[in-house]
Amino acid sequence: MTLEEIGHLREIAEQYAYADGAQGSFRRLSGQISDAARENGAGELYVPFNNTYQFGDVAFSYGRGTVSGSFLGTVEYHDDMLRITGESNFEFTDEFADPLDMNFEPGGIPYHISGTWRASFSAEVLRDRRNSIYFDRRK
């Protein structure tokens, strides 16, 4: 089954982006993309990602699902800044089984749930992360 067929694609994408933990995954992914841009410099940038998250707030049947994908874009130098533009492709995967034997799925046969979405990304960040107000100086 796909998230589009179930009608939960938007809810899963929003849970991933904004409601996962204190920051939301988009905030963390933005930091990963920015750090990769600083490390690689100007040119094409590819950043893969993959992690498991709790999606039970969308529907109890999701529990923990995996979001993987990649960012593909470009980095340009502009004085002491980096301009990053591109697109991230996301893929959600999960298996639903009837672990509590509640007879939601006759015979307890698990089924695969998947979904995909995209998001554009554009940012201008300081080339030197230590000059950023978001830099954690305690580390």
Side-chain angles (χ1 to χ4, degrees):
M1 301 189 82
T2 68
L3 292 173
E4 285 184 325
E5 292 170 332
I6 299 168
H8 286 160
L9 179 61
R10 181 181 182 138
E11 290 89 346
I12 290 288
E14 287 179 355
Q15 174 75 22
Y16 167 78
Y18 306 113
D20 172 55
Q23 297 179 337
S25 295
F26 271 10
R27 174 86 166 107
R28 288 189 303 275
L29 182 57
S30 297
Q32 291 171 354
I33 292 168
S34 297
D35 287 343
R38 288 179 180 109
E39 184 177 318
N40 294 326
E44 189 172 286
L45 180 64
Y46 173 77
V47 181
F49 50 88
N50 181 23
N51 208 343
T52 301
Y53 303 92
Q54 186 61 250
F55 290 97
D57 287 348
V58 174
F60 81 94
S61 56
Y62 290 111
R64 294 181 61 80
T66 300
V67 177
S68 59
S70 61
F71 168 82
L72 181 60
T74 58
V75 179
E76 300 172 345
Y77 289 129
H78 289 276
D79 298 321
D80 63 344
M81 303 291 288
L82 296 175
R83 178 175 293 150
I84 310 164
T85 56
E87 185 173 81
S88 293
N89 291 298
F90 302 89
E91 181 178 355
F92 173 88
T93 57
D94 195 8
E95 287 289 321
F96 177 75
D98 191 358
L100 301 177
D101 208 16
M102 298 171 72
N103 295 319
F104 289 118
E105 180 68 29
I109 300 169
Y111 57 91
H112 183 74
I113 302 171
S114 63
T116 60
W117 68 93
R118 295 179 185 186
S120 296
F121 180 83
S122 178
E124 291 187 6
V125 300
L126 291 166
R127 287 168 86 173
D128 186 346
R129 188 170 192 249
R130 294 171 296 183
N131 292 332
S132 171
I133 63 171
Y134 302 108
F135 179 67
D136 187 350
R137 286 163 176 73
R138 295 173 293 170
K139 292 182 181 182

